[in-house]
Amino acid sequence: MSNPSKVTKAEEFEPRIVAFLCKWCSSAGSDLAGVSRIQYSANATPITIPCSGSVSPMFILSAFNKGADGVLISGCHPGDCHYMEGNYLARRKLYLVKELLQFIGLESERFRMSWVSAAEGAKFAEVVDEFVEDLRVLGPQNRLKAKR
Amino acid sequence: MVNVEEIRDYAANLLGKGEVKSVLGFRRGSASAFAEPCTITDVGEAASLVWDPTCLNNLTLYLVKDHKQQAAAKTPDNRPVGIVAKGCDSRAIGVLLQENYFKREDVVVIGVSCEGTGVVDPRKLSAKLKGRTASRVSFYGADGINVRVYGEETETVIPAQEVLADRCLECRAAIPTLNDIVFGEAVGAREFDEPFHAAKAAESLSADERWATWEHHFDRCLRCFACRAVCPMCYCPECVVDSTTFVVTLGTSAEEKANRIRWCERSANTSESAVYHLTRAIHLAGRCIDCGECERVCPVNIPLRLLNTKLEKEAFEMFEYQAGHDIEQASLLSSFRDEDPNSFIR
Ligand code: SF4
Ligand code: SF4
């Protein structure tokens, strides 16, 4: 398999996104985008998680460490959490992670969070497309990537 | 002025009555003018306790160690431990109580107010003395530190602002709020420096400049884990960055090795050290009480406080949260408010 982030020419660079999707909403939202045959970028690798509140900051750091160009976390809209308040806890925790990543100088566009419900297939496609476009401009993520 | 005799008497009394099994405090160090942490267990030893601006350590670390020891002991001694605590030390105890690490009745907090000064930074002091060694360092008053140099008769007064540890310059609560008794006057904020000013200055740089700085620091990290060892909040029995329970033996199969989650490698290189430091920083969000111990013990002078204070600044400004201030409060990451920032989410 070719390694997309090794390619230097901007137009050939395919950003790799690791997307942590809540099982109850965003994951179903991404399914809906698929079954509705909405065309969108295939750059995101979805990982289903029980709740956005279950995201450990280590997931994010590890993804960047292993070469992700961008990390997306997507959960249920405020008020709609299957576990009542998981997404509120996620919001606070991930705000701090975002601040910390920016503070050490990771480009702020590389870490993203969204609220996508199971009915929002089109929104999911939009969020991913937008993310890919922004990452294309930034180029490969080399700051936190392990140099192995 | 804190009268050290009063601290000694109080400690001796506690030990004499058998109310505590030991008292954690400071005694004169043998190597330099700097005080060293000590555990005293009998009344006679109380006379060796000292209190001056060289009492740098956060003794709360030894409460944690004692707790771990007792948990592993066949015949645990569950009597409380007395501890001489500055403002920051008492906040550290506060965080541990908030997390139910031990109970309030397990500790007797002998609070000492820093009274408008604080502790000196050994690096700043030695730069000031230009290679000479201090033989005695004491409080002069609210804005001065008395220093006597080896082989010299006279004492010099150095303005406190020039030699105090960075965190003391911006300390907002020099009185131990959690205490059983406090010695010294209740002088609160220091205000030599604006709180979080270093983090604010760093924020104003560009992302490239910030990364250049941190890449340089992460690159130099030795992964000696001194910063983790000295931090009273780093008490997890197993740390994600060095999985000690995964032991590779001759019998470990290739599959077991492959399936083990490796959050990061133990090797000291820029990216792995970055993961270590970011993990540690986020783990300490809302828990770091800014004792500055991690930065003090780092052999390569990595500005670790900066990472932690950045998150404490966010906690304070965004969530009105201060670590160790209120032991009844839910911790930063186990609570939320409706008005938490939401605009960054799409
Ligand atoms: S992270 Fe550093 S400053 Fe914060 S509590 Fe731990 S040792 Fe103290
Ligand atoms: S004390 Fe300094 S060198 Fe040692 S692990 Fe911590 S940051 Fe790295």
Side-chain angles (χ1 to χ4, degrees):
Chain A
M1 215 177 88
S2 71
N3 183 348
S5 56
K6 288 250 167 66
V7 181
T8 41
K9 273 211 296 198
E11 58 273 22
E12 287 173 48
F13 162 66
E14 278 301 333
R16 288 191 298 189
I17 298 171
V18 178
F20 294 98
L21 310 178
C22 162
K23 152 184 182 175
W24 303 100
C25 52
S26 303
S27 191
S30 81
D31 272 353
L32 184 65
V35 296
S36 319
R37 299 177 177 271
I38 299 173
Q39 291 290 327
Y40 70 104
S41 323
N43 302 45
T45 305
I47 296 178
T48 307
I49 47 165
C51 173
S52 56
S54 73
V55 172
S56 159
M58 288 242 65
F59 296 1
I60 301 156
L61 296 173
S62 188
F64 281 127
N65 178 260
K66 294 182 172 52
D69 299 305
V71 175
L72 171 72
I73 315 264
S74 192
C76 311
H77 287 273
D80 291 348
C81 177
H82 185 80
Y83 307 99
M84 314 314 282
E85 51 192 42
N87 52 359
Y88 288 108
L89 296 171
R91 181 171 67 178
R92 186 172 267 207
K93 179 164 61 184
L94 299 176
Y95 171 81
L96 292 171
V97 174
K98 174 188 76 88
E99 284 295 321
L100 184 65
L101 288 171
Q102 285 180 16
F103 189 70
I104 60 132
L106 190 84
E107 299 90 338
S108 56
E109 291 298 309
R110 294 202 188 272
F111 175 62
R112 201 156 284 190
M113 192 173 173
S114 66
W115 302 135
V116 172
S117 80
E120 293 176 319
K123 178 171 178 192
F124 183 78
E126 221 172 89
V127 165
V128 173
D129 275 343
E130 243 182 62
F131 201 0
V132 172
E133 284 325 304
D134 292 346
L135 290 173
R136 247 186 242 290
V137 177
L138 280 177
Q141 185 273 124
N142 291 322
R143 298 199 162 163
L144 292 180
K145 186 178 169 188
K147 294 163 191 75
R148 295 208 169 99
Chain B
M1 213 43 131
V2 176
N3 180 358
V4 71
E5 284 303 333
E6 286 173 9
I7 303 177
R8 290 173 182 159
D9 288 347
Y10 190 81
N13 192 26
L14 281 179
L15 286 165
K17 287 196 189 141
E19 283 174 18
V20 294
K21 66 167 175 256
S22 57
V23 172
L24 299 167
F26 293 94
R27 66 177 171 214
R28 202 63 296 127
S30 47
S32 69
F34 285 85
E36 63 185 23
C38 64
T39 304
I40 55 173
T41 47
D42 67 62
V43 177
E45 287 175 312
S48 63
L49 289 177
V50 299
W51 176 252
D52 61 26
T54 68
C55 297
L56 310 175
N57 309 56
N58 184 346
L59 298 177
T60 312
L61 174 69
Y62 301 101
L63 282 183
V64 172
K65 290 202 191 296
D66 177 74
H67 187 74
K68 286 186 176 171
Q69 253 165 25
Q70 299 305 334
K74 283 216 183 75
T75 49
D77 182 344
N78 288 326
R79 282 178 296 162
V81 177
I83 177 170
V84 175
K86 305 182 279 290
C88 42
D89 305 353
S90 91
R91 288 197 294 282
I93 300 168
V95 173
L96 295 174
L97 290 175
Q98 200 181 3
E99 295 174 351
N100 277 318
Y101 191 69
F102 44 66
K103 293 193 287 296
R104 182 66 184 88
E105 55 269 28
D106 292 340
V107 51
V108 177
V109 183
I110 310 169
V112 248
S113 166
C114 294
E115 291 190 331
T117 46
V119 298
V120 300
D121 179 335
R123 286 166 184 150
K124 287 188 192 170
L125 183 65
S126 82
K128 255 273 95 45
L129 298 181
K130 301 196 177 64
R132 295 171 301 161
T133 324
S135 65
R136 200 186 122 83
V137 180
S138 59
F139 290 117
Y140 172 78
D143 14 67
I145 301 286
N146 261 334
V147 178
R148 178 180 289 184
V149 169
Y150 266 115
E152 287 177 23
E153 285 299 302
T154 52
E155 292 200 331
T156 14
V157 178
I158 303 180
Q161 205 158 359
E162 292 174 18
V163 284
L164 285 189
D166 285 344
R167 69 173 194 281
C168 298
L169 295 175
E170 55 190 75
C171 179
R172 281 165 294 152
I175 336 151
T177 36
L178 175 91
N179 61 65
D180 291 289
I181 184 169
V182 184
F183 296 103
E185 283 164 51
V187 180
R190 207 63 44 87
E191 290 171 343
F192 282 134
D193 262 337
E194 176 204 358
F196 310 124
H197 67 109
K200 284 181 185 157
E203 278 169 0
S204 66
L205 301 173
S206 74
D208 289 345
E209 287 169 314
R210 290 197 301 269
W211 175 249
T213 316
W214 285 107
E215 185 181 29
H216 169 68
H217 292 315
F218 294 151
D219 192 33
R220 290 182 309 123
C221 174
L222 308 169
R223 293 291 281 286
C224 64
F225 294 130
C227 47
R228 188 182 67 185
V230 81
C231 177
M233 305 311 165
C234 277
Y235 57 66
C236 302
E238 183 180 350
C239 179
V240 286
V241 301
D242 62 353
S243 161
T244 45
T245 50
F246 187 86
V247 182
V248 178
T249 62
L250 286 177
T252 313
S253 70
E255 197 192 359
E256 280 168 332
K257 281 189 212 165
N259 288 340
R260 165 191 159 224
I261 299 176
R262 251 189 249 94
W263 292 113
C264 78
E265 302 294 335
R266 297 184 71 167
S267 50
N269 64 47
T270 318
S271 59
E272 310 302 332
S273 296
V275 174
Y276 163 60
H277 285 294
L278 298 179
T279 304
R280 202 175 104 81
I282 199 84
H283 195 166
L284 282 156
R287 306 174 66 237
C288 168
I289 43 73
D290 199 12
C291 59
E293 287 285 271
C294 46
E295 188 165 305
R296 178 177 70 83
V297 297
C298 178
V300 291
N301 296 339
I302 294 178
L304 293 161
R305 256 193 81 228
L306 198 52
L307 279 184
N308 298 322
T309 51
K310 159 69 185 165
L311 292 180
E312 293 315 311
K313 168 180 168 286
E314 293 305 325
F316 184 62
E317 290 180 352
M318 279 296 171
F319 309 117
E320 292 170 13
Y321 186 93
Q322 297 189 65
H325 274 248
D326 179 1
I327 59 172
E328 302 301 329
Q329 199 180 9
S331 66
L332 178 70
L333 293 182
S334 68
S335 56
F336 64 87
R337 297 180 308 172
D338 287 344
E339 61 273 24
D340 281 354
N342 194 57
S343 59
F344 74 101
I345 305 174
R346 288 160 201 246

